[in-house]
Amino acid sequence: MLKPYACDPLQSRGRRYPQASAPTHNEFQSDRDRIVHCTAFRRLVYKTQVFLNHEGDLFRTRLTHSLEVAQLGRAIARELGLNEDLVEAIALAHDLGHTPFGHAGQDALNECLRAARPPHAGFEHNLQSLRVVDWLEERYPTYDGLNLSFETREGILKHCSRRHAERLLQREPGGVGLRFIEGTQPSLEAQLCNLADEIAYNAHDIDDGVRSGLLTLDQLDAIELFAACRDEALAAFAQLAGRRLLFDAIRRMLSRQVEDLVSATSAALEAAAPASAQAVRELPPLIQFSADMRSQNRALKRFLYDNLYRHPQVVETTGRARRVVADLYAAYAGDPAALPPAVAGQARPHRAIADYIAGMTDRYALREHQRLTGETLFP
Ligand code: MG
């Protein structure tokens, strides 16, 4: 069923530590299983997507977001003849490196590391996701990390600065950092996960935004794509209102984007006709929306940015969340005795503190913050 440009597990570039293949699993299924069973994956349940974990039980968390990305990604992969198992593995792992409190936590941790003496290279969640699967998980008898295949790791490292890529290459010559120096693309499966991520969060953030009361259904009229889908829902079901109207419109929005992506990408693949998964890496990105959908998508993102991510209530919460992370960092850096001995004893103390904080769930971070500062920032 796989197209010639799909990643074939039998052609994998392999793992850092060679491993006998399993009789019932291909390499990418084995990666997926390792990811689902790792500690960092379970922590995603209690990590913020946009709304803090304790603000409501029905908002997306990093875990449900990752599951939605995997679902969309797999559906599209199947349509395009790409490797579903690889897409699933990448999607489930893509957010493992997120700090507590979403981007607010990442920004605070980044500032702390850059201000450390000597200054550190900073904190970035994509690199941290790779760090989790390469080094931080402690599950196997003879090595650190999950020992994932090159293709899954390539997909996890979605962005990377040149400086970070050079550091990665020192450890792994010719490895996952190389494409950021050479300006080449990752596999189609990796490209697909990036767009499935966007489709997922644009849709679920509208849903969560309305659920939270920060967005209203009327306000969503301003989004061309949403308005068209809502009109279509009303044309099919004239009495539809409230939540069911919202859900039906979002469902149609998801379908339109998936269908657009499949047709634009199929056309691009047909035109470029890559002969192999390796040939794809030398071409421009092939997983794509049509020009019209790209511009509708930009408008949707802009709307969410202006009206949800920068809503005064979200900004206020974000400010407190940043303080929690910055206070934790300062407390641990100032008093290593406050850290668990295994963390305090590491060779690079600032990086060890950042890894420790990044691994925390929202509620663990809040408990630690209260223990160390005596303050309650989120009653
Ligand atoms: Mg994501």
Side-chain angles (χ1 to χ4, degrees), residues 13 31 85 245 247 266 273-274 312-313 345 355 361 366 368 372:
R13 279 178 55 179
D31 284 354
D85 298 323
L245 175 58
F247 296 153
S266 300
Q313 206 171 310
D355 287 338
T361 60
L366 291 178
E368 272 295 274
L372 294 167

Side-chain angles (χ1 to χ4, degrees), residues 49 62 65 69 94-95 98 158 197 201:
Q49 182 68 23
R62 287 272 161 215
H65 162 71
V69 176
H94 85 283
D95 274 351
H98 267 289
K158 176 166 145 182
D197 189 19
Y201 67 65

Side-chain angles (χ1 to χ4, degrees), residues 9-36:
L10 295 172
Q11 306 288 323
S12 169
R13 279 178 55 179
R15 304 169 190 278
R16 183 183 301 129
Y17 309 103
Q19 158 193 315
S21 0
T24 53
H25 280 64
N26 70 45
E27 298 300 323
F28 304 143
Q29 289 171 322
S30 163
D31 284 354
R32 183 227 22 230
D33 296 352
R34 284 170 178 236
I35 291 158
V36 168

Side-chain angles (χ1 to χ4, degrees), residues 28 41-42 46 67 79 88 101 116 126 131-132 165 174 191-192 194-196 218 258 280 293 335 337 354 367 372:
F28 304 143
F41 186 71
R42 284 190 298 283
Y46 300 106
L67 294 174
E79 277 300 303
E88 185 180 24
F101 316 119
N126 280 298
R131 213 170 138 67
V132 167
Q191 295 178 34
L192 170 50
N194 291 346
L195 284 184
D218 290 344
V258 166
V280 161
M293 186 56 83
D335 177 18
R367 266 205 307 271
L372 294 167

